[in-house]
Amino acid sequence: MQQPQTAARPRLGERVLTAVSRDPLSGANRTRNDAVLAAAVGVLALVLALTVHEGRRPDVLGWAFLAGSVVALAWRRSRPMAVLLAVLVCIVPYHAADNTHIAPVPASLVALYTVAATARPLHTFLIGVGVIGTAVTVMFQVDAHQGLETLRTSGWILAVLIFGVDVRTYRRYIASVVGRAERAERTREEEAARRVAEERLRIARDLHDLLAHSITLIGVQTSVASHVLTVDPDRLDRAAIANALDDITDTCRTARGELRTTLEVLRADGPDAAGPLPDLTALPGLVRAAKADLEVHTGRTRIAPAVEAAAYRIVQESLTNAVRHGGPGVRIRVAVAASDGHLRVTVTDDGTAPGATEGSGYGIAGMRERARSVGGTLAAGPRDGGGFEVAAALPLQQAKALA
């Protein structure tokens, strides 16, 4: 039986870089880790106090001050400034009593590094000046030689502070890189969601136009057949009925094919998949089904596919409205022409049915939105002398949609 593979353990260098890059104020188990560090520093301070003969061996009070400076390190990342002050309060009288001077140095350097790695550089500079000045002053009061030695070795304090500032700068750089990556990822996700929403809106418009147009035509053709059957049954006009049924069949076949191609977009992978766009070559069949007149004058003009699709949908919705609201015997004329850098689409009818100019849905609003989606305009309203007119001007090449 094959054993499951375990993730490779990061190498020591990678773990060190991860620890250095982590924000010290938000790390996990920071109190426990700082307590372990304080214990290690305490052991080192004890060894130095017992083995280095520089000054006298600490008495009971000296041990208490040394222990206090070490114990405070357990909270160094939670309260770095308070820990530094506590360490200074303990080691100043410790040094003033001329105890072993090297013993509290590790705790002092750890506290200084923590402040430098968490505070602003200006604060770190002021703290460094204050600490060096205090240390030199105290050691000169103990002995002039010790004071000079402290002044000579104060470079270690500066080195620790500079190292802490460098670590802080590195951590801020890493945080900024991570932040930019997260913002870029959010931007990509938002862009993908926006494109998906736009695609869904386009599909919804296509389905609305397709189904409304087809159902309206089927209803009209069914009414024609019913009228022929009921008005004069004795003189049945079989040719008229057959013609109406043939029109219904053609409409259903066209709607089924267009519905299939539209729904294929939903099965495509990814938000960038684009479905087939209807174009001006499909206008004759569309207009013929509505028994309208068509004039197309585009010549060899190059038209963007999205503009052709918008023109097709505008004509389709206009025919649907004309058939639905124009009344019986309505005459419809469709004109499409390219001029002055625009594709001009005009659909007019001579309908006289009452309320024909009002409408009850979102057809005109949808047509305006389609025109705006390619940077065009659309006007719709009643004509002088009766009827209704829809006029759209679409740029031949797709322009940026209006806000």
Side-chain angles (χ1 to χ4, degrees), residues 150-191:
T150 301
L151 185 61
R152 184 181 66 83
T153 58
S154 60
W156 286 103
I157 297 178
L158 293 177
V160 169
L161 292 177
I162 293 173
F163 178 69
V165 171
D166 286 343
V167 170
R168 178 180 182 273
T169 303
Y170 174 73
R171 285 171 175 166
R172 290 175 65 88
Y173 170 74
I174 294 297
S176 66
V177 170
V178 172
R180 285 197 298 269
E182 292 176 350
R183 287 193 297 272
E185 182 65 25
R186 286 196 300 269
T187 301
R188 284 194 295 269
E189 293 175 355
E190 292 170 358
E191 177 66 14

Side-chain angles (χ1 to χ4, degrees), residues 202-220:
R202 186 182 74 82
I203 294 172
R205 289 172 180 166
D206 288 346
L207 290 177
H208 168 270
D209 294 345
L210 168 64
L211 296 178
H213 177 75
S214 301
I215 292 173
T216 300
L217 290 183
I218 291 173
V220 171

